[in-house]
Amino acid sequence: MAMRAPLALASWAFVAAATTAKADERPVVVVDATTDGSGAAVVVRLNAALGPEPTLGPIAPGLVDALANPTPVDGTAIASASTALTNARDRLVRFAYAEAAAIARAAEDALAGEAGDKTARELLANLAFVEGLAIAGDAGDAGAAASTWTLVHRLSPGRTLDPAVYPPDQIAAFARAVTPPPGSGAVMIAAPGADEILVDGAPIGRDPAVAQLSPGPHVVSARGADIILVGRRVVATAGQSVRVDLNPVLAAATVRAARARDRLRAAVDDGQRFAAIAALLAVGNADDAIVVVPDADAHPGAVATRVYTRRGGLGPARPFDGDLGGVLAPLRPPPKPRKPPVPPTGPVMPPPGPEIPWHERRWARVGMGVAGAAVVTAVIAAILTRASGTTTLDGSIGVQ
């Protein structure tokens, strides 16, 4: 137990240091904006070079992969609708008209979000046509399908029926359905977060939108760069209003990144490129990007790089010559200026005065005073201690 605490503390300190170091790195989006994939290898090299950088780093691995792969297409709605169409036709030939109509109508709802795609619109038209056949069969009157078949003509203009397959009454009723019934009804459509709202596959505006529609069924849908396609089948009634809430769902980050990359590749000016890059930065939680573009002034397959920063915007294209450090250099933070050395601090000493001669210095004066006093003392002592009538002076001098 005594050893575990230091080991745990050391492990925690290592993890904390690694997390702090990672948090100091600025993620950089690297994207191939070439349409032929000629920049893919350069993108791989640049992402690898960002790893060892102390202040820069690549975006999340999942997003790196999403930008390297084709945009995912959800084909489940079309596949399910195709299966539903087969099932509805099967019920139709077995005279199960109510079941056939219900299956077709439910499939129209499920596929409505894809109405902006031509293939999906044709499939929706086929479903509406089978639904009309079921309604006509159940009523015993081809005219009962007129309203539903009007939707077929809106989704697939110019469609006609083969006289070798369909009876004259159905052919005539289908032809009359080209003209919608009189009147209109207001349809109010709410789709928060959608870039565009469509009715029967045709864009009508942004959220919220109000459309005056002919009586009968319609397909309402919404699409946007950041949402999953959503829609539903609605019925307009003359002189009445109906509200439709589509409630879009945010698409996965990988899907949003791939869509933004596609818009970047399709951009025709820097305004469109800026919008696409801004979307990429938002998904990647980054402030900087490196865009690999074709080098129009070099041989086919040559590429250039454009660096984007929030402060400087989208820079010019620079031919890529293999120098990865040169591409990353504008993104590195400038070196911190060195501070001049600070002199040591201490007590302030007065400047030295002129040099004093040795005989004027204190020690010399004290020494000479002591020596003089010793001499005087010795003389006085000799006088006081001499014998009576004697002297140390010259003998020719008499002393009383």
Side-chain angles (χ1 to χ4, degrees):
M1 291 296 294
M3 291 297 293
R4 289 181 182 178
L7 287 175
L9 184 61
S11 300
W12 178 88
F14 175 79
V15 172
T19 303
T20 303
K22 192 68 177 176
D24 291 339
E25 293 182 355
R26 295 190 348 258
V28 178
V29 174
V30 185
V31 56
D32 177 16
T34 65
T35 56
D36 60 357
S38 55
V42 177
V43 168
V44 172
R45 294 179 61 192
L46 285 170
N47 276 320
L50 285 169
E53 285 284 327
T55 58
L56 305 174
I59 55 177
L63 295 178
V64 172
D65 293 340
L67 292 178
N69 297 320
T71 305
V73 177
D74 185 6
T76 56
I78 289 181
S80 298
S82 298
T83 301
L85 179 61
T86 301
N87 292 336
R89 285 171 173 165
D90 178 67
R91 301 303 192 281
L92 195 63
V93 298
R94 289 192 284 148
F95 307 107
Y97 298 124
E99 290 185 33
I103 292 172
R105 193 176 301 122
E108 292 168 38
D109 261 332
L111 188 59
E114 309 276 350
D117 176 71
K118 183 178 179 180
T119 301
R121 283 197 302 275
E122 289 298 315
L123 184 50
L124 282 165
N126 291 337
L127 288 165
F129 178 69
V130 170
E131 181 190 359
L133 288 175
I135 293 172
D138 194 37
D141 178 11
S147 177
T148 303
W149 283 345
T150 299
L151 176 60
V152 178
H153 289 294
R154 284 193 293 266
L155 293 170
S156 181
R159 181 177 290 203
T160 59
L161 299 185
D162 185 355
V165 177
Y166 299 97
D169 62 331
Q170 291 183 353
I171 294 175
F174 185 77
R176 288 194 302 270
V178 172
T179 303
S184 67
V187 177
M188 297 172 288
I189 307 162
D195 298 332
E196 207 168 35
I197 292 176
L198 304 89
V199 173
D200 300 329
I204 64 167
R206 297 176 61 90
D207 166 74
V210 178
Q212 291 290 335
L213 304 180
S214 60
H218 294 267
V219 175
V220 176
S221 56
R223 62 187 178 189
D226 296 333
I227 64 170
I228 297 174
L229 299 174
V230 61
R232 55 179 288 197
R233 180 184 185 273
V234 299
V235 178
T237 304
Q240 297 185 15
S241 299
V242 61
R243 177 184 174 90
V244 180
D245 293 304
L246 294 181
N247 301 321
V249 176
L250 186 68
T254 52
V255 175
R256 285 180 279 144
R259 289 177 181 175
R261 183 229 23 231
D262 293 345
R263 296 197 301 276
L264 179 61
R265 290 177 176 176
V268 297
D269 56 45
D270 277 357
Q272 295 179 358
R273 294 184 185 96
F274 175 82
I277 292 172
L280 280 170
L281 296 178
V283 176
N285 193 26
D287 290 330
D288 309 301
I290 301 173
V291 183
V292 181
V293 299
D295 188 354
D297 298 330
H299 61 82
V303 297
T305 58
R306 300 185 70 178
V307 174
Y308 175 90
T309 62
R310 289 202 185 275
R311 182 169 54 185
L314 185 59
R318 302 185 183 280
F320 179 69
D321 57 2
D323 181 13
L324 300 175
V327 177
L328 301 179
L331 300 176
R332 296 189 182 110
K336 295 181 179 180
R338 292 185 178 181
K339 295 182 179 180
V342 180
T345 58
V348 180
M349 303 297 293
E355 187 175 358
I356 302 176
W358 71 268
H359 58 275
E360 294 185 5
R361 296 182 181 178
R362 180 178 177 82
W363 63 269
R365 290 182 179 182
V366 171
M368 288 187 290
V370 171
V375 172
V376 172
T377 301
V379 172
I380 294 175
I383 294 174
L384 294 176
T385 57
R386 66 180 175 82
S388 178
T390 65
T391 180
T392 59
L393 301 177
D394 188 353
S396 61
I397 300 176
V399 178
Q400 295 296 324

